[in-house]
Amino acid sequence: MSRARRQREREMQQAGRLPPGQSLTEKFPVLHYGPIPPFNPATWDFRVWGEVETPRTWSWDEFNTLPRTRVVMDIHCVTRWSKFDTEWEGVSVRTLVEQGYIRLKPTARFVILHAEYGFTANLPLEVVLQDNFLLATHYAGQPLTPEHGYPLRAVIGVIPDRKDLKTTYFWKGAKWLRGLEFSPVDKPGFWERAGYHNEADIWKEQRLQF
Ligand SMILES: Nc1nc2c(c(=O)[nH]1)N[C@H]1C(S)=C(S)[C@@H](COP(=O)(O)O)O[C@H]1N2
Ligand SMILES: [Mo]
């Protein structure tokens, strides 16, 4: 617990960037259930299905030709650490929709994130289409490390000064992501079924659900 860390934490609090019950970390903790999956670029694919006009699959090479976006945001873990000004690069779902790579049916209302080993997380469609949700391949200018989700993970965080965007705790950012299911109905994911809050709003401290 360094002086510098506490000083920065106070600054973030005064700037209105520290959600209730959180504390600032300069590390990047690793949290997940189960083992880290291997990655084989020859067999990896990314699937989009459900309430879309055309279900599709991208290979790893194809995924890397999609339009790219860089976002800087604050991430907030339900285990009470917050990390500020983290830099992510990858693919924006909104861009994919706007540019016609994904054509949504009007019945699409929720997105189920599917990761390796059957892990899922769920979010409302409007959150997935926000600027603070990204399918990330890079963190801080480098490819993701295996423990943080290489080759692809979802991320959601706060873009400072964008209080209009909904932000959830970081667990909704599925690591080792393999696909998006657009659904007419909500389907609670792995942690949500284990008792974590379905909405997970960081400002309302929606941590657990009883
Ligand atoms: N595939 C997968 N993704 C996951 C999880 C998991 O168990 N499996 N855990 C989530 C949880 S609980 C958290 S807090 C974040 C942690 O991300 P990090 O390890 O990069 O900090 O990943 C999320 N993504
Ligand atoms: Mo977590």
Side-chain angles (χ1 to χ4, degrees):
M1 274 253 237
S2 78
R3 243 184 126 72
R5 189 202 68 80
R6 264 177 297 140
Q7 172 61 28
R8 271 188 286 277
E9 185 174 275
R10 237 183 337 265
E11 284 166 13
M12 289 302 143
Q13 184 161 33
Q14 280 159 5
R17 290 171 63 179
L18 189 70
Q22 296 294 111
S23 65
L24 178 147
T25 184
E26 272 144 10
K27 305 186 187 110
F28 195 169
V30 172
L31 288 155
H32 55 261
Y33 175 81
I36 295 173
F39 169 58
N40 179 349
T43 56
W44 186 95
D45 61 12
F46 188 77
R47 291 208 305 136
V48 165
W49 76 97
E51 302 303 298
V52 290
E53 294 296 341
T54 319
R56 25 181 334 176
T57 305
W58 287 278
S59 68
W60 177 239
D61 285 343
E62 290 164 345
F63 193 86
N64 283 296
T65 67
L66 294 172
R68 299 184 64 77
T69 303
R70 195 180 144 270
V71 191
V72 175
M73 48 194 177
D74 304 338
I75 55 178
H76 304 286
C77 179
V78 72
T79 62
R80 299 183 182 272
W81 55 263
S82 293
K83 192 168 173 63
F84 292 86
D85 300 312
T86 63
E87 185 194 325
W88 302 90
E89 198 193 299
V91 174
S92 147
V93 179
R94 217 221 351 266
T95 300
L96 295 183
V97 170
E98 284 175 353
Q99 298 194 11
Y101 291 94
I102 299 174
R103 282 161 53 227
L104 296 176
K105 290 186 177 173
T107 43
R109 289 188 54 218
F110 295 91
V111 182
I112 318 306
L113 289 69
H114 289 262
E116 300 284 358
Y117 302 142
F119 180 91
T120 61
N122 57 310
L123 281 167
L125 174 64
E126 62 267 22
V127 174
V128 166
L129 297 179
Q130 291 178 165
D131 290 332
N132 62 338
F133 181 90
L134 193 69
L135 309 178
T137 57
H138 287 65
Y139 167 72
Q142 300 293 326
L144 299 174
T145 57
E147 66 271 24
H148 286 298
Y150 182 76
L152 182 71
R153 75 173 301 166
V155 282
I156 181 161
V158 173
I159 299 176
D161 299 326
R162 290 292 308 274
K163 285 273 170 99
D164 57 306
L165 303 178
K166 211 168 183 257
T167 302
T168 73
Y169 290 110
F170 199 48
W171 86 72
K172 300 267 189 185
K175 304 194 278 190
W176 312 296
L177 188 66
R178 291 291 302 273
L180 300 178
E181 173 189 359
F182 292 86
S183 173
V185 295
D186 201 5
K187 299 181 186 179
F190 178 86
W191 291 111
E192 292 80 2
R193 287 194 302 271
Y196 285 83
H197 200 288
N198 197 52
E199 279 143 71
D201 187 306
I202 58 164
W203 302 108
K204 297 183 189 161
E205 277 208 87
Q206 292 175 328
R207 297 173 191 273
L208 300 175
Q209 190 145 262
F210 300 98

